[in-house]
Amino acid sequence: MDRTSPVPLYFQLAQQLESAVENGTLSPGTLLGNEIDLATRLGLSRPTVRQAIQTLVDKGLLVRRRGVGTQVLPSRVRRPMELSSLYDDLAAAGRRPATRVLVNRLEPAAGPVAAALGVPEGTEVHYLERLRTAHGEPMAYLCNHLPAGLLDPDTGRLETTGLYRMLRSAALTLHSARQAVGARAAAPDEAALLDEPEGAALLTMERVTFDDTGRAVEYGSHLYRATRYSFEFRLMARP
């Protein structure tokens, strides 16, 4: 710490901790110890250490766990804006994706679902609810509707692989999608599933995916933890 610098000590500490997290010196799951121990080791006041830690908690790099202490979190998933699945993106990043299937049933398509899939209202469709985790930590709550007869969404397979992989294994060629991204506050049941406080910010995504014949093969309505997840856009200037 440079005590002669005009930069506040808490900010200097936060920068050093953030750099250690990003370069892997502090790997995911590392326990930092409690604030009193850190303050003693670093020769800083407890409020200074607390403010530095809170800065990184707010950035989604650290988490305070009751009975455990302050722990380093896995880095936020940055998802490119292309036709890929969360399962594949997590697997490609080495994040050990896992899935818990909450609902897997046939049901009549309500108006918005029917419109998205291009089928008459009341047509029977598959409805899926899944909780996607990475390294055992909740990442996203996924709700999907599929036209009936497209494939057999077996629960066992859904818990060991991604939905898009299953669609491709059914000889479907995923060609394009229409997608909208937004944000809203977490309802109590959503917050409980995603291990977030009630009212926490969640990213939303609605997507309709089409195969190479132009047929809608999936309608998804997904919620992502804003502290663990972001979408990346590539923007080009007009000529």
Side-chain angles (χ1 to χ4, degrees):
M1 300 292 117
D2 183 356
R3 298 178 186 274
T4 65
S5 171
V7 178
L9 289 175
Y10 88 86
F11 191 75
Q12 293 184 49
L13 176 57
Q15 284 186 313
Q16 291 186 25
L17 290 173
E18 182 172 358
S19 177
V21 170
E22 291 182 345
N23 66 28
T25 302
L26 291 175
S27 58
T30 299
L31 288 171
L32 298 187
N34 61 49
E35 293 170 359
I36 297 175
D37 291 340
L38 283 174
T40 301
R41 292 207 313 265
L42 298 172
L44 299 171
S45 69
R46 187 177 179 185
T48 295
V49 172
R50 182 186 302 118
Q51 193 169 3
I53 288 175
Q54 187 59 51
T55 299
L56 300 188
V57 168
D58 293 341
K59 286 187 173 185
L61 298 177
L62 302 178
V63 65
R64 288 188 174 100
R65 300 193 188 279
R66 187 183 301 275
V68 176
T70 302
Q71 193 170 26
V72 178
L73 287 170
S75 60
R76 180 182 296 191
V77 176
R78 292 175 172 85
R79 188 171 181 182
M81 295 304 290
E82 59 186 38
L83 188 52
S84 63
S85 72
L86 176 59
Y87 187 95
D88 290 339
D89 291 339
L90 290 170
R95 298 291 294 276
R96 299 206 308 268
T99 306
R100 178 155 60 97
V101 177
L102 307 173
V103 176
N104 183 356
R105 68 180 181 229
L106 287 167
E107 66 178 30
V113 173
L117 293 178
V119 298
E121 188 170 351
T123 300
E124 202 168 61
V125 296
H126 279 288
Y127 175 58
L128 308 172
E129 287 185 20
R130 294 166 295 154
L131 182 67
R132 178 64 43 74
T133 63
H135 292 290
E137 182 183 27
M139 295 291 293
Y141 172 47
L142 313 173
C143 299
N144 296 82
H145 288 85
L146 311 172
L150 201 63
L151 80 163
D152 176 22
D154 176 73
T155 294
R157 288 191 64 200
L158 285 168
E159 291 186 337
T160 58
T161 191
L163 179 59
Y164 276 17
R165 292 187 182 187
M166 291 178 65
L167 289 170
R168 292 187 178 102
S169 70
L172 291 166
T173 301
L174 305 182
H175 179 266
S176 61
R178 185 174 66 246
Q179 179 168 287
V181 177
R184 65 173 175 80
D189 57 336
E190 296 162 350
L193 273 174
L194 293 171
D195 195 22
E196 290 280 357
E198 184 179 344
L202 299 178
L203 293 173
T204 67
M205 185 187 76
E206 290 198 3
R207 175 188 284 183
V208 182
T209 305
F210 303 91
D211 68 7
D212 56 350
T213 70
R215 174 182 53 169
V217 295
E218 176 242 358
Y219 167 56
S221 180
H222 301 168
L223 294 173
Y224 302 89
R225 301 176 71 183
T227 55
R228 306 289 185 271
Y229 198 87
S230 65
F231 290 98
E232 289 190 350
F233 298 81
R234 185 180 182 189
L235 305 178
M236 304 294 291
R238 288 185 177 180

